Amino acid sequence: MSTHPTVLVIGGTAGTGKSTIGESLVNLLRLKYPNAQFLEGDRLHSKQNIEKMSNGIPLCDEDRWDWLERISTESTLSASANDGLCIITCSALKLKYRNYIIDKNPNTIFFFLMVYASPKEILMRLTRREGHFMKANMLNSQFADLELPINNQVEPHSRVVTVDGRLEHHVLLETFDVSFELLRSRSLKAQILEIFELYKDERNPCFNDKDFKNSLMLDLIINELSWVNVATIKSELHNLVMNDFLEEIQEGLEYKLR
Ligand SMILES: Nc1ncnc2c1ncn2[C@@H]1O[C@H](COP(=O)(O)OP(=O)(O)OP(=O)(O)O)[C@@H](O)[C@H]1O
Ligand SMILES: O=C(O)[C@H](O)[C@@H](O)[C@H](O)[C@H](O)CO
């Protein structure tokens, strides 16, 4: 089993269906990860946060940092203990929140599946929903904070699924497909990380052998090329600060792609 636990974060504004989707999704993903757990991120809020939201006061950045850290750590622990996978809900509205979750547990591979519903749809749902602390009066602030991941270069590990006007099971099927695609790309990132760790270990005789490093890396990348896009690979390499041999790998990629 990989040393890198994987977490799928279901994000989006209040009322998009994160919990509904997460509960069903985990059952489907258990076909492959039998012990994977679904965690409800709202349970990790402090009492003060819940009180604020219940009183119609939107959370600010300072209210959210500790909560985001708990999201990152609790999901990592759960994934580590249960077949390497955890699914957790967390609004994760802003880019900096998603990055914070990633930074708090750099060994974990985080994917973000952001669920989007229009303000009109959310207003309808929150007005109808009973027994929940988050009421319709929070709608404007949620949308004011929402930064959807639109740039694949910046957030290759994130996807958006739009739910408006669609049947519940269609949404679930799409989120299942998207999750599967994300989890498939996981193997590449995990392998890159694992190999990178091997290089970092200076006791390893291969550490100083650049040719060995590059050929291994290239093999790894080329083998996965049929399904992973080159931009993702390049951005992962950048993320991993592999700049020392990034250029050569890019050359290799371009050659193979000709
Ligand atoms: N696809 C759907 N179509 C219509 N209604 C839905 C759909 N999915 C969920 N709902 C309803 O919308 C409401 C919000 O769903 P849910 O609680 O899953 O959202 P959430 O994003 O987890 O919300 P919150 O973050 O506020 O806890 C619920 O009343 C749920 O029954
Ligand atoms: O970041 C936030 O403002 C909060 O996380 C909210 O989005 C709620 O926790 C949640 O969605 C409950 O409705």
Side-chain angles (χ1 to χ4, degrees), residues 23 33 37 50 55-57 60 64 98 102 111 118 146 160 175 180 186-187 192 195 200 210 213 222 226-227 232 238:
E23 275 162 18
Y33 304 85
Q37 298 298 305
I50 300 279
N55 290 323
I57 307 167
C60 59
R64 287 178 175 132
R98 296 188 284 276
I102 294 170
F111 292 118
S118 66
L146 179 64
V160 180
T175 54
F180 228 81
R186 180 217 166 276
S187 69
I192 292 178
I195 292 208
K200 278 198 309 196
K210 211 168 176 196
K213 272 202 304 203
I222 301 319
S226 55
W227 54 270
T232 308
H238 271 297

Side-chain angles (χ1 to χ4, degrees), residues 174-186:
E174 189 183 343
T175 54
F176 182 60
D177 280 350
V178 172
S179 314
F180 228 81
E181 183 214 321
L182 286 171
L183 291 173
R184 199 151 148 59
S185 74
R186 180 217 166 276

Side-chain angles (χ1 to χ4, degrees), residues 14 18 42 45 53 59 64 67 91 132-134 142:
K18 299 184 293 294
D42 276 345
H45 270 304
M53 291 188 274
L59 300 183
R64 287 178 175 132
W67 172 61
S91 47
H132 194 288
F133 60 82
M134 200 74 168
Q142 288 280 297

Side-chain angles (χ1 to χ4, degrees), residues 61 65 68 93-101 147:
D61 288 355
W65 297 129
L68 294 168
L93 297 175
K94 301 183 187 179
L95 170 62
K96 66 181 177 186
Y97 298 163
R98 296 188 284 276
N99 285 340
Y100 192 76
I101 291 174
E147 295 167 8

